[in-house]
């Protein structure tokens, strides 16, 4: 019977050929490797409904529900591929479902973002880090989009960003405000290599940041700022979405700025902002208005 690891390798090659990003491929590889090691499956014959049903429930004991659901989706995609390519006679996950968890994103407060900005000294490195916080919080860029951003992609006049090969390998347009533009000018004044083709975020000697560079910088800033929990790039993306929603009440604007395909993802930020909505409703309550009008 064919080796399961060989099938996984072939699956990853097929995903790469279809245009999956490096981050997605790493996720597929890690999830499938965990399944192979934890389940003891070595051959495709071991990829049975019983093996999968015994493996999936245990995930919730060791990880967050959203991570367990991601593992389920990875295995579902892999099993369907195995069946479609005739590696297995049937799809071992046919009829097997897992409910997607309805989790809300953790969003930093305005005070958290101010503290991160204040934790950056007025040094070349501090200017770079302050711009990183501001650009993530202002434009809602994803971590890899920020890391791959080049100076030629930034238009200070229109305050827009050309985002190349974002999620799903799609190009897009990002936006930032005048406050962030001012911080960008301050960083460009000390940038080690301000040529158009250079990356915006680099080390002191002009080398691009590594895949985890932004996370490490934000983790150190969070500690320096005295925050209870570290604030990462995706948390600042949530902050951008929530702040735009609170100030505009425009879900379509949130969707377009964050470049979501549908309004479904943007709707999550409405739930996060329930306290704000409650405060607005307290002012707009029809019955309160009638009572006050009657008193007058």
């Amino acid at each position: 019977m064919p080796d399961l690891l060989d099938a996984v390798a072939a699956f990853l090659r097929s995903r790469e050929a279809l245009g999956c990003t490096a981050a997605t491929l790493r996720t597929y590889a890690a999830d499938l490797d965990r399944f192979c090691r934890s389940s003891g499956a070595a051959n495709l014959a071991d990829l049975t409904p019983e093996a999968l049903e015994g493996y999936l429930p245990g995930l919730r004991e060791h990880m967050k529900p959203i991570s367990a659901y991601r593992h389920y989706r990875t295995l579902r995609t892999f099993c369907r591929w195995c069946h479609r390519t005739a590696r297995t006679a049937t799809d071992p996950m046919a009829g097997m479902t897992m409910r997607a968890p309805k989790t809300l994103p953790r969003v930093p407060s305005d005070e958290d973002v101010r503290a991160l900005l204040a934790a950056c000294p007025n040094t070349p490195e501090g200017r770079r880090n302050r711009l990183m916080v501001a650009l993530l919080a202002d434009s809602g860029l994803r971590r890899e989009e920020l890391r791959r951003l080049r100076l030629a992609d930034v238009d200070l006049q229109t305050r827009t960003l050309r985002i190349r090969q974002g999620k799903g390998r799609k190009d897009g347009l990002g936006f930032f405000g005048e406050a962030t533009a001012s911080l960008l000018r301050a960083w460009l004044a000390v940038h080690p290599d301000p040529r158009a083709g250079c990356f915006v975020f680099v080390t002191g000697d002009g080398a691009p940041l590594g895949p985890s560079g932004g996370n490490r910088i934000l983790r150190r800033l969070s500690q320096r700022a005295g925050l209870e929990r570290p604030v990462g790039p995706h948390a600042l993306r949530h902050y951008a979405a929530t702040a735009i929603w609170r100030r505009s009440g425009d879900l379509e604007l949130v969707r377009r700025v964050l470049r979501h395909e549908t309004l479904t993802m943007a709707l999550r930020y409405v739930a996060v902002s329930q306290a704000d909505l409650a405060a607005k409703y307290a002012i707009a309550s029809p019955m309160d208005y009638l009572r006050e009008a009657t008193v007058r």
Side-chain angles (χ1 to χ4, degrees), residues 93-106:
M93 288 189 70
M96 198 179 300
T97 61
M98 179 184 289
R99 183 175 296 177
K102 296 184 180 299
T103 57
L104 295 177
R106 288 180 175 176

Side-chain angles (χ1 to χ4, degrees), residues 228-291:
E228 291 185 6
R229 63 168 60 97
V231 171
H234 213 66
L236 289 174
R237 177 173 167 83
H238 293 324
Y239 172 82
T242 306
I244 292 169
W245 160 249
R246 285 171 173 167
R247 288 160 176 75
S248 70
D250 189 338
L251 276 177
E252 177 62 15
L253 176 62
V254 174
R255 186 192 71 80
R256 291 177 69 90
V257 171
L258 269 71
R259 289 161 285 112
H260 289 312
E261 290 291 327
T262 68
L263 282 174
T264 302
M265 289 298 291
L267 281 168
R268 300 171 72 202
Y269 301 106
V270 176
V272 171
S273 303
Q274 288 302 321
D276 290 339
L277 293 178
K280 290 179 180 178
Y281 179 80
I283 299 173
S285 167
M287 290 305 297
D288 286 355
Y289 171 78
L290 283 179
R291 183 181 63 183

Side-chain angles (χ1 to χ4, degrees), residues 54-164:
Y55 172 73
L56 289 171
L59 291 175
R60 294 182 181 273
E61 300 175 7
H62 305 288
M63 60 184 65
K64 296 178 182 178
I66 191 66
S67 298
Y69 182 70
R70 189 201 69 215
H71 276 69
Y72 157 77
R73 292 186 59 182
T74 295
L75 285 167
R76 184 183 64 183
T77 302
F78 176 64
C79 289
R80 286 177 177 175
W81 175 84
C82 285
H83 178 47
R84 191 172 64 250
T85 57
R87 284 173 168 81
T88 56
T90 60
D91 177 357
M93 288 189 70
M96 198 179 300
T97 61
M98 179 184 289
R99 183 175 296 177
K102 296 184 180 299
T103 57
L104 295 177
R106 288 180 175 176
V107 181
S109 66
D110 291 344
E111 291 71 23
D112 290 339
V113 177
R114 289 193 186 100
L116 288 173
L117 293 168
C120 303
N122 193 28
T123 61
E125 181 181 292
R127 292 185 185 188
R128 179 201 66 189
N129 295 348
R130 191 178 296 119
L131 172 63
M132 179 182 294
V133 173
L135 199 56
L136 288 167
D138 213 13
S139 66
L141 289 179
R142 298 178 176 91
R143 181 185 66 180
E144 281 299 296
E145 293 168 348
L146 181 91
R147 192 173 72 89
R148 293 197 302 265
L149 193 67
R150 296 180 185 270
L151 294 172
D153 299 329
V154 180
D155 190 328
L156 273 166
Q157 184 174 356
T158 61
R159 299 201 292 274
T160 56
L161 308 167
R162 182 176 179 182
I163 300 165
R164 303 173 188 269

Side-chain angles (χ1 to χ4, degrees), residues 29-60:
D31 291 350
L32 293 171
D33 178 67
R34 182 186 181 112
F35 169 73
C36 292
R37 287 186 291 103
S38 300
S39 68
N43 301 309
L44 281 174
D46 300 323
L47 193 64
T48 62
E50 292 76 18
L52 292 158
E53 288 171 349
Y55 172 73
L56 289 171
L59 291 175
R60 294 182 181 273

